[in-house]
């Protein structure tokens, strides 16, 4: 029976390029997105680690929050907008330096994670009182609703998901991008600047989700489609699909919302305590603070860990973890790491068994298979610090 | 020697009452980079349509179904160390198992090469 309630899938401004480059298109977060290109996931993954991979992430949720009183050249304006957002997240947003980005999480009243996101304070002196935020594509309607409620008429949310947002990741990313944005070479990991490309205003951030050095660029749709076409003409650059995006982030030990993070899981359990800076811990002024502060003090009952299966069989999401024949946890992301040439996984396990090196068993197709807890990331990050 | 195909993209090459089974090049292309193949043990018995093996790509695991009923007389141990052979030679070196057919009459329900090619073109 046909499902008549299904919305037609949205397409990003780069859709025609995906098709032209032979992308295999699947549904993701309500969008038609390329899962892989003709060379395949493994080759795309390895290419990103050695050259430069271009990822369309326009399905995500970039937005700007701006004080209704307008931006101005006063640090107090930043504090004003940051205070509104700090009611939703446990990170120190007030303490961001101009041009600095920070990973954080939206929390529910129980301290569970509603989404993970990146918040950036503009660098330009005259743009204080504004924040640039990128949330997950599948969660953007929820997140934007939360922001709008928290802004309480004092600031306005402007969606920017009608633009192109792409990531250029890998050791050649700086060289390729600096030909168009010379300033980008001066950025360090988690720093952002407004830059111009033939008059088109862009937000260029040195960040990404592969463990490699690289950039994310927010650019108006039409200019973005032209620019991406130009970048793909560079022999160092290839388009990369969602399949390799997933294997790259898994090797890098990075969480995927809806899999490794959920409304039941706290940032302490998720091994993301580092997103809660000192000032916020001392103040305890964020949703779910009671649980989170208790877990910080006493340690969580379960913890997110890396897992290395010791045989060749990958352990997929949902695989049960046993220790000495007793259930002890579950795999939340699992597959094969092309750079390691071995299966890799992440999951949650009773804190007693979370130490790296602990021997565990994974129930794959009814058979217990040996594995070990591993420290994350599986491959060292190559961010430019 | 005759080769037959299933709608689930397995092939079986029959000589006498023995069949060699694998997945088709079309299936391997759809799966992408194969990183692991799980095979049954020699002696295992299957009915037509049973899942008897698993092939895993970077992204996902897929079941492989028995094209006919029978018992496994040999498995291709080389796939354990070189699963990528499935992408390189799906219908040759990357055979999965050899089976002793339980009922040759089941073969009549399978497709020949031409019918399978036409089937794939329609997908």
């Amino acid at each position: 029976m046909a499902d008549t309630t299904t919305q037609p899938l949205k397409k990003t401004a780069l859709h025609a390029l995906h098709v032209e480059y032979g992308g295999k298109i699947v549904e993701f977060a309500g969008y038609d997105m390329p899962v892989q290109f003709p060379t395949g996931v493994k080759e795309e993954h390895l290419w990103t680690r050695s050259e430069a991979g271009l990822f369309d992430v326009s399905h995500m949720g970039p937005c700007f929050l701006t004080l209704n009183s307008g931006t101005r050249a006063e640090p107090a304006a930043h504090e004003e907008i940051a205070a509104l957002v700090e009611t939703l997240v446990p990170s120190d947003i007030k303490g961001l330096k101009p041009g600095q980005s920070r990973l954080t999480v939206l929390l529910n009243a129980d301290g569970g994670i509603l989404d993970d996101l990146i918040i950036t304070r503009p660098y330009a002196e005259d743009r204080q009182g504004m924040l640039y935020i990128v949330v997950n594509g599948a969660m953007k309607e929820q997140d934007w609703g939360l922001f709008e409620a928290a802004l309480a008429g004092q600031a306005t949310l402007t969606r920017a998901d009608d633009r192109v947002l792409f990531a250029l990741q890998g050791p050649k990313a700086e060289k390729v991008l600096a030909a168009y944005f010379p300033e980008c070479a001066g950025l360090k990991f988690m720093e952002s600047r407004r830059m111009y490309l033939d008059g088109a205003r862009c937000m260029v951030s040195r960040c990404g989700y592969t463990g490699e050095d690289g950039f994310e660029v927010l650019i108006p749709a039409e200019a973005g489609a032209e620019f991406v076409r130009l970048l793909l003409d560079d022999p160092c650059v290839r388009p990369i699909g969602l399949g390799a995006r997933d294997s790259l982030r898994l090797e890098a030990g990075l969480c995927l919302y809806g899999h490794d993070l959920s409304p039941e899981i706290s940032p302490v359990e998720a091994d993301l305590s580092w997103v809660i800076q000192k000032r916020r811990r001392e103040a305890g002024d964020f949703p779910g603070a009671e649980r989170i502060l208790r877990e910080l003090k006493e340690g969580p009952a379960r913890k997110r860990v890396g897992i290395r299966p010791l045989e060749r069989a990958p352990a997929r999401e949902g695989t049960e973890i046993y220790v000495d024949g007793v259930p002890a946890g579950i795999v939340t992301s699992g597959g094969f790491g092309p750079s390691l040439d071995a299966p890799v996984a992440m999951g949650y396990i009773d804190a007693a068994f979370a130490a790296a090196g602990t021997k565990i068993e994974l129930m794959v197709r009814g058979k217990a298979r040996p594995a070990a807890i591993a420290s994350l990331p599986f491959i060292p990050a190559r961010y430019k610090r | 020697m005759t080769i037959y195909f299933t709608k689930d993209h397995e092939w079986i090459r029959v000589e006498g009452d023995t069949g060699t089974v694998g997945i088709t090049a079309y299936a391997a292309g759809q799966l992408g980079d194969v990183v692991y193949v799980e095979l049954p043990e020699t002696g295992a018995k299957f009915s037509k349509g049973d899942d008897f093996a698993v092939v895993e790509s970077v992204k996902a695991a897929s079941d492989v179904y028995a094209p006919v009923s029978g018992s496994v007389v040999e498995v291709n141990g080389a796939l354990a160390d070189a699963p990528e052979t499935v992408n390189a030679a799906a219908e040759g070196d990357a055979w999965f198992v050899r089976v002793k057919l339980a009922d040759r009459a089941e073969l009549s329900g399978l497709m020949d090469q031409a019918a399978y090619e036409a089937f794939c073109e329609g997908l």
Side-chain angles (χ1 to χ4, degrees):
Chain A
M1 199 173 74
D3 182 355
T4 50
T5 61
T6 305
Q7 299 282 321
L9 289 179
K10 290 179 268 188
K11 291 176 171 55
T12 76
L14 301 183
H15 182 76
L17 267 175
H18 301 323
V19 173
E20 200 178 308
Y21 275 81
K24 185 174 162 189
I25 307 295
V26 300
E27 188 273 334
F28 186 78
Y31 285 80
D32 267 330
M33 296 296 287
V35 67
Q36 65 171 79
F37 290 89
T39 52
V41 176
K42 208 163 156 180
E43 182 64 29
E44 290 170 35
H45 177 116
L46 296 172
W47 183 267
T48 304
R49 294 241 185 272
S50 66
E51 303 285 327
L54 195 144
F55 304 73
D56 181 13
V57 287
S58 309
H59 65 290
M60 293 186 76
C63 67
F64 294 90
L65 309 185
T66 315
L67 286 176
N68 288 343
S69 55
T71 56
R72 55 190 199 268
E74 275 176 45
H78 170 69
E79 295 218 352
E80 215 175 302
I81 189 102
L84 295 171
V85 171
E86 283 192 0
T87 61
L88 300 173
V89 304
S91 302
D92 184 1
I93 304 303
K94 289 182 187 168
L96 283 173
K97 296 185 186 76
Q100 188 187 1
S101 303
R102 186 162 268 172
L103 176 78
T104 187
V105 289
L106 284 167
L107 294 173
N108 63 27
D110 300 321
I113 299 173
L114 294 171
D115 199 9
D116 59 326
L117 60 154
I118 289 182
I119 301 185
T120 301
R121 175 180 177 177
Y123 182 76
E125 208 182 336
D126 61 344
R127 304 289 279 183
Q128 301 306 305
M130 176 188 271
L131 294 172
Y132 169 50
I133 299 180
V134 181
V135 305
N136 277 303
M139 306 308 294
K140 60 187 172 185
E141 300 301 331
Q142 168 204 277
D143 294 0
W144 288 344
L146 289 169
F147 283 130
E148 277 174 338
L151 297 177
Q154 297 176 61
T156 303
L157 184 149
T158 310
R159 303 176 170 212
D161 62 342
D162 55 344
R163 308 186 197 182
V164 163
L165 181 66
F166 72 86
L168 188 67
Q169 301 278 295
K172 305 278 174 71
E174 180 190 293
K175 188 196 69 151
V176 171
L177 205 63
Y180 305 93
F181 296 112
E183 247 188 289
C184 81
L187 294 180
K188 292 199 171 80
F189 182 59
M190 297 304 268
E191 286 181 354
S192 304
R193 293 284 187 281
R194 184 176 60 188
M195 298 182 196
Y196 289 86
L197 185 76
D198 296 334
R201 187 153 79 190
C202 305
M203 183 64 92
V204 180
S205 309
R206 195 155 203 160
C207 65
Y209 224 60
T210 60
E212 296 299 320
D213 179 28
F215 300 85
E216 286 186 5
V217 179
L218 181 73
I219 178 170
E222 208 175 313
E226 276 177 42
F227 185 40
V228 166
R229 182 178 291 279
L230 205 58
L231 291 173
L232 287 171
D233 283 340
D234 190 306
C236 293
V237 181
R238 284 189 190 169
I240 310 295
L242 294 169
R245 182 168 164 82
D246 193 49
S247 57
L248 287 158
R249 69 93 198 164
L250 179 56
E251 280 186 345
L254 300 168
C255 296
L256 182 59
Y257 193 79
H259 302 262
D260 310 302
L261 305 177
S262 76
E264 286 76 44
I265 292 168
S266 78
V268 185
E269 293 174 321
D271 201 17
L272 296 175
S273 301
W274 56 271
V275 308
I276 315 168
Q277 282 79 24
K278 194 173 164 214
R279 178 175 66 79
R280 304 301 308 277
R281 291 184 195 206
E282 285 172 1
D285 58 348
F286 48 84
E290 194 191 338
R291 169 191 178 183
I292 288 172
L293 294 176
R294 186 181 67 241
E295 288 179 352
L296 280 171
K297 196 171 157 213
E298 298 170 8
R302 57 180 175 176
K303 254 179 105 173
R304 181 173 66 93
V305 291
I307 298 163
R308 288 289 294 262
L310 300 177
E311 294 174 350
R312 298 291 293 177
R316 307 286 176 178
E317 180 178 1
T319 299
E320 292 178 305
I321 303 171
Y322 284 74
V323 177
D324 295 330
V326 179
I330 193 149
V331 170
T332 50
S333 279
F336 187 83
S339 299
L340 292 159
D341 194 28
V344 285
M346 287 200 296
Y348 284 82
I349 192 165
D350 294 351
F353 309 118
T358 306
K359 295 279 185 286
I360 59 170
E361 287 173 332
L362 301 170
M363 289 299 282
V364 178
R365 292 181 285 275
K367 203 174 135 192
R369 327 227 176 186
I373 304 298
S375 45
L376 294 171
F378 293 105
I379 58 146
R382 296 202 282 181
Y383 306 135
K384 189 179 169 189
R385 301 278 185 187
Chain B
M1 190 175 76
T2 320
I3 185 162
Y4 301 91
F5 298 86
T6 72
K7 287 185 174 172
D8 296 315
H9 307 284
E10 292 89 13
W11 56 264
I12 178 165
R13 187 174 286 118
V14 179
E15 290 171 84
D17 64 352
T18 304
T20 303
V21 180
I23 66 166
T24 65
Y26 176 88
Q30 291 295 309
L31 288 168
D33 306 297
V34 172
V35 297
Y36 179 72
V37 180
E38 186 152 296
L39 298 175
E41 288 176 3
T42 302
K45 286 187 167 56
F46 295 98
S47 298
K48 180 182 166 83
D50 286 354
D51 50 298
F52 77 98
V54 175
V55 55
E56 302 216 24
S57 66
V58 176
K59 195 78 185 115
S62 308
D63 287 326
V64 182
Y65 303 101
V68 294
S69 306
S71 54
V72 176
V73 294
E74 190 183 352
V75 301
N76 186 358
L79 293 182
D81 292 324
E84 64 277 8
T85 315
V86 177
N87 295 109
E91 294 175 29
D93 288 347
W95 58 277
F96 282 24
V97 293
R98 289 194 216 286
V99 295
K100 187 170 186 306
L101 274 54
D103 178 8
R104 280 189 58 95
E106 286 176 345
L107 295 170
S108 63
L110 302 178
M111 288 178 273
D112 64 14
Q113 182 103 41
Y116 177 69
E117 280 170 15
F119 171 72
C120 287
E121 266 175 41
L123 293 179

